[in-house]
Amino acid sequence: MIGRAAATASFSLAVLLAAGAAALAGPAKLVTRNNASYGTYLSDEDGHAIYLFTADSKSRSACQDACAKAWPPMMTSGAPVAGPGVNAALLGTIPRDGGMQVTYGGMPLYYFVGDKGAGSIAGQGINHFGGEWYLVAPNGQEIEKQAAKKTGSW
C-alpha cells in the first residue's frame, strides 16, 4: 500500500511539475472539459482540473505555505490564453511569489495534488485550509452541484 501511495504521489508531483514547466515556457492556456456529474469545467490544456478557493477574494489569494503545497497556484509566464469555451474577458493575473498567478473572474486558480492526471477531479467539494474548493464553470462560478462535502485530507 505504501508503494502505491508513493507512486501516486510521485505521479501527481510529476504532473504538477510538468504543468509548472509549461507555464514557464509560455502563457497558461485554459480550456473546458466535461464531466457527467458536474458538467463543463475549466482545465489546463493538458486536461488537469482547475479549482477556486472560497476563502479567496477577488485578486487576493488566501492560500499560502502548506495550502499552496496541496493546492499549487496556476502560474503563467505571460497573459493567459482562452481556449475553446473559455471567456477571455474573465482571464487575468495577480502577482505571486515573483511570478503571476492566473485568475478567472478575478478569482485565483489552483491545481490539486490529489488529482491523478487529466480528467481527475478529486479536489471537488473538499473543505480544506479554511474554505471549500470547487471546479470552475466557464461563466466563472464555482460548480457546487452534486459535490459531496469532504473535509480534511483527501
Side-chain angles (χ1 to χ4, degrees):
M1 187 71 173
I2 291 174
R4 179 184 292 175
T8 299
S10 294
F11 176 76
S12 294
L13 180 58
V15 165
L16 291 171
L17 288 174
L24 294 176
K29 182 176 182 181
L30 276 79
V31 298
T32 58
R33 288 185 68 91
N34 289 301
N35 175 278
S37 296
Y38 299 105
T40 304
Y41 65 93
L42 299 183
S43 74
D44 68 13
E45 64 184 322
D46 295 320
H48 302 111
I50 302 299
Y51 299 90
L52 63 75
F53 183 36
T54 62
D56 285 347
S57 58
K58 290 204 179 217
S59 301
R60 189 187 68 76
S61 173
C63 182
Q64 306 295 323
D65 304 318
C67 176
K69 286 182 175 49
W71 299 90
M74 181 180 205
M75 303 294 286
T76 187
S77 62
V81 175
V86 177
N87 185 341
L90 295 178
L91 281 171
T93 60
I94 57 172
R96 183 182 185 110
D97 303 325
M100 294 185 300
Q101 183 174 1
V102 178
T103 63
Y104 199 72
M107 296 299 288
L109 300 179
Y110 305 87
Y111 294 100
F112 178 50
V113 297
D115 282 346
K116 306 297 183 240
S120 178
I121 56 170
Q124 174 64 3
I126 291 179
N127 185 334
H128 203 208
F129 293 104
E132 294 178 342
W133 298 86
Y134 293 108
L135 295 169
V136 184
N139 67 2
Q141 299 298 307
E142 62 196 43
I143 299 174
E144 290 187 50
K145 65 181 176 184
Q146 297 185 11
K149 300 291 183 191
K150 300 175 264 184
T151 59
S153 64
W154 52 95

